[in-house]
Amino acid sequence: IEATQESFRILYNVKGRFQLHRIDSSESSFKLLKVKRAQLGPGGIPFISTHDGRYIRYPHPDIKVNDVVKLNLENGKIEDHVPFAIGNVVMITGGRNLGRVGILHDIEKHPGSADVAHVEDLAHRTFATLSSNVFPLGHGSKPLITLPTGGGVKLTVLEQKRQRENRE
């Protein structure tokens, strides 16, 4: 918002709804983009297609499909990339676990069908989702972006009740 000099990022909360998350100016200078396609174009020029419709020419050869690239919004260059690999912190962007954040533990390959990813959140609860719903956020357990309060951990009904009682 230019009038107030504030920056926000829209993220999913653990209930699956959009949530505005206030970020500082250094974090507002980049965007994370999931790679949907990587191929060669006319004349043998390599390019990647991202989840928001951008095409980036001449990417690093290590960037593959399902990886995430950190794009500098001022100059349009790729600053970093996060591989879709076991041990990285991820956010779920679809399905019943929408908005949850955790560490990717296993990827089940099912040839001819959808691959399944197993994720463990910070409360040590394990859940599974389609690998197409997984969005890597950072290397290891350190995300490249700041996360909203709660850190993407879905609480049980009893935990939510206790949290409400403690606030009152």
Side-chain angles (χ1 to χ4, degrees), residues 61-150:
D62 291 343
I63 298 174
K64 306 287 184 228
V65 174
N66 291 329
D67 290 355
V68 167
V69 295
K70 180 179 175 182
L71 183 78
N72 187 328
L73 294 175
E74 277 111 36
N75 59 18
K77 303 283 186 202
I78 296 174
E79 292 179 348
D80 191 12
H81 92 280
V82 180
F84 182 72
I86 294 172
N88 286 345
V89 63
V90 296
M91 177 178 265
I92 309 304
T93 59
R96 185 172 174 178
N97 296 304
L98 179 68
R100 292 179 75 177
V101 175
I103 305 294
L104 185 62
H105 273 284
D106 187 34
I107 303 168
E108 288 181 18
K109 299 282 187 185
H110 297 281
S113 183
D115 296 341
V116 177
H118 295 273
V119 180
E120 182 179 332
D121 64 7
L122 295 176
H124 303 293
R125 295 187 188 108
T126 304
F127 56 95
T129 187
L130 297 175
S131 64
S132 60
N133 294 338
V134 176
F135 192 99
L137 292 179
H139 304 282
S141 60
K142 179 77 174 107
L144 295 175
I145 60 172
T146 57
L147 297 173
T149 57

